[in-house]
Amino acid sequence: MAQRAIPSGTTRRRTAFGLLDADGWAAAFWKGMFWFATVLFLLGYLPNIALYLTIRETVQIGYNVISVVNLCDAANGDLPCPVPAGAVVPWQASPPEVALPEGRADAGAFQGGLDLYLVGGTGPTGPTASVLKTTTTEDGNFGPWSEGAPLPEPRTDAAFVAVNGRPFVIGGLDAEGAPTTTVYAATLEEGAVTGWEELEALSLKAPVSGAMAVATTSGIYLMGGAGADGLSASTWQAGIKPDSDPPELVPWVERPELTLPDATGQPNGRAHAAAGLIGDGIYVVGGETTLGPTGDVLRLHLDDEGNPVRSGEAPDAPIVPWAVSLGASSLPAARVDAAGFTNGGAIYVVGGHDGTGTPVATTYWAVPEATTGDIAAWQTLSQDDLPSARVAGSAAVVGAHAYVVGGADSAGPLTDTLRANLAPKAPFFQLGLIGATVPGLAIPGAIGIQLAELNASLVATGAFVVLIALAVLLQRPRLRGRLLHTLSRGRTKAPTPEDDY
């Protein structure tokens, strides 16, 4: 008779609440996985947390998928916590000490390094050639404005764009209020504007004001505007001459396949809209059309070289025209002559009027979807409304701050500058269901890196000692029992010599 694998009367030891055979392969597997995870946690995860706690402002511990407690920095003002993506720290008006010498609206704003320029525009007496300059700091402050190199002639309501750091003033109204065909470009020395020159080869084919201009890697796109015959629906492109250094623009070419449409898809002129480039798309937001003020959004999809994409791979495949975003993709309300800018993948529409001519103070922003470029919805917060309503303000981004310079209200051109921080603080503490976000030391520079590495090594050494101690205790049952007996103050059974066997 064959011998039984387990002698009669022998009972297998069970583990995991009786689910597994303590001496079987399944128990051995899960025991090995447990100790593998323990080693990773002690020698990998904990030193990593110690490193990040030293150099980062916040560190996420665990998997903080749903935060039920959120605490934000007071620098965010009264913004919600956490701050919605794209929201800005509430706008602040500049003190009188740094006000513009005189009110200015419909000017162009240009950032060169930490310098901020205000080019042309309409003052109390009409269009001006004046160019004002100030210098900003990393925390967003700036000094008094001073006069810079003026334009050759007064210009207001011009399209303003910079190509590789060089600003261009395109069209606009002259001193008599008539639209023009001129294109002025700045002369630069080490990034500073030292003068302006008229580029006759780039003169527009027809006079225009209130047009929208966007710079891409392929050159400048000029959309719409108002001329002697009314609103224009044309799109013009001034490409970059091949192998030119610095980049040299070639004369304008009209792109009839890119005629601006309205909500019905029919060609329609548009002026005084906000425009910007995000990713591979040009966006034209709001403005005035022949059908009246609008909140519709136009989008032109570009390829890697900054040219409009085609509907197929063939070189002669049709160009994909402007797409019209309707419904939630449109602004919640019509906006004309608003200040517009882009930053960090978001587009902003600030102030303007809703078609009645009355200035508004709203700030709208949207973050297009990264892969498709579609806008799901526009957002607004009452905390991000401007301190005072205005139209025709001039927007620029310098570092982490946005500026809206001047503009006009019902009384005329304004002299103040509004500033907003584009980088609200993330929550410094969050408590979730299975994780938390905690504050870090945020020690900067090389010292922070060295301290972080030292802290990580100390934690790793301590974790290694803990692993050795665990191994000893697991191999010495009597020692483990004695430790538990001592820690429990005698409430557990005292070990005996037989416990080691």
Side-chain angles (χ1 to χ4, degrees), residues 348-373:
Y348 298 82
V349 179
V350 183
H353 68 82
D354 58 4
T356 64
T358 302
V360 296
T362 53
T363 296
Y364 293 130
W365 78 89
V367 181
E369 205 279 328
T371 55
T372 65

Side-chain angles (χ1 to χ4, degrees), residues 39-345:
V39 171
L40 285 181
F41 177 79
L42 293 176
L43 297 183
Y45 183 72
L46 288 184
N48 196 53
I49 291 294
L51 186 144
Y52 288 144
L53 282 172
T54 307
I55 59 176
R56 289 185 175 179
E57 292 187 354
T58 59
V59 177
Q60 182 171 306
I61 298 176
Y63 186 59
N64 196 9
V65 60
I66 300 177
S67 296
V68 294
V69 177
N70 298 281
L71 300 177
C72 286
D73 197 298
N76 287 353
D78 58 352
L79 289 176
C81 182
V83 179
V88 303
V89 176
W91 296 89
Q92 297 177 332
S94 61
E97 292 79 7
V98 292
L100 298 172
E102 62 178 12
R104 194 76 63 88
D106 277 322
F110 162 64
Q111 169 259 334
L114 292 177
D115 292 332
L116 180 61
Y117 295 86
L118 190 66
V119 183
T122 299
T125 60
T128 179
S130 169
V131 174
L132 301 175
K133 173 186 175 182
T134 187
T135 300
T136 67
T137 61
E138 291 185 358
D139 59 4
N141 293 320
F142 58 93
W145 294 86
S146 61
E147 290 286 347
L151 295 173
E153 294 181 3
R155 287 292 182 271
T156 186
D157 203 17
F160 195 86
V161 69
V163 178
N164 280 27
R166 189 186 189 192
F168 292 79
V169 180
I170 305 170
L173 302 176
D174 61 16
E176 284 71 39
T180 64
T181 62
T182 56
V183 175
Y184 297 138
T187 55
L188 304 174
E189 289 185 10
E190 297 181 354
V193 176
T194 58
W196 298 85
E197 61 176 329
E198 181 177 352
L199 304 180
E200 295 183 358
L202 280 181
S203 293
L204 303 176
K205 307 301 182 183
V208 71
S209 66
M212 296 72 69
V214 172
T216 72
T217 53
S218 65
I220 300 175
Y221 287 85
L222 184 71
M223 292 79 68
D229 299 328
L231 298 179
S232 170
S234 297
T235 296
W236 297 79
Q237 183 179 11
I240 297 178
K241 185 177 181 179
D243 302 324
S244 59
D245 188 20
E248 179 182 345
L249 296 174
V250 301
W252 298 96
V253 175
E254 187 174 9
R255 304 297 299 267
E257 69 274 32
L258 299 178
T259 299
L260 302 180
D262 58 21
T264 66
Q266 298 300 311
N268 200 313
R270 186 176 299 225
H272 303 110
L277 176 70
I278 299 180
D280 61 356
I282 296 177
Y283 295 82
V284 176
V285 185
E288 178 184 2
T289 71
T290 57
L291 301 178
T294 183
D296 294 341
V297 179
L298 307 181
R299 178 176 181 267
L300 179 63
H301 189 195
L302 306 178
D303 61 21
D304 294 339
E305 297 179 354
N307 296 310
V309 298
R310 296 183 178 273
S311 57
E313 297 183 358
D316 58 348
I319 295 290
V320 177
W322 289 92
V324 184
S325 298
L326 303 175
S329 299
S330 297
L331 289 173
R335 284 295 178 267
V336 179
D337 219 1
F341 62 91
T342 61
N343 181 75

Side-chain angles (χ1 to χ4, degrees), residues 77 228 414 463 470:
L414 300 169
L470 287 174

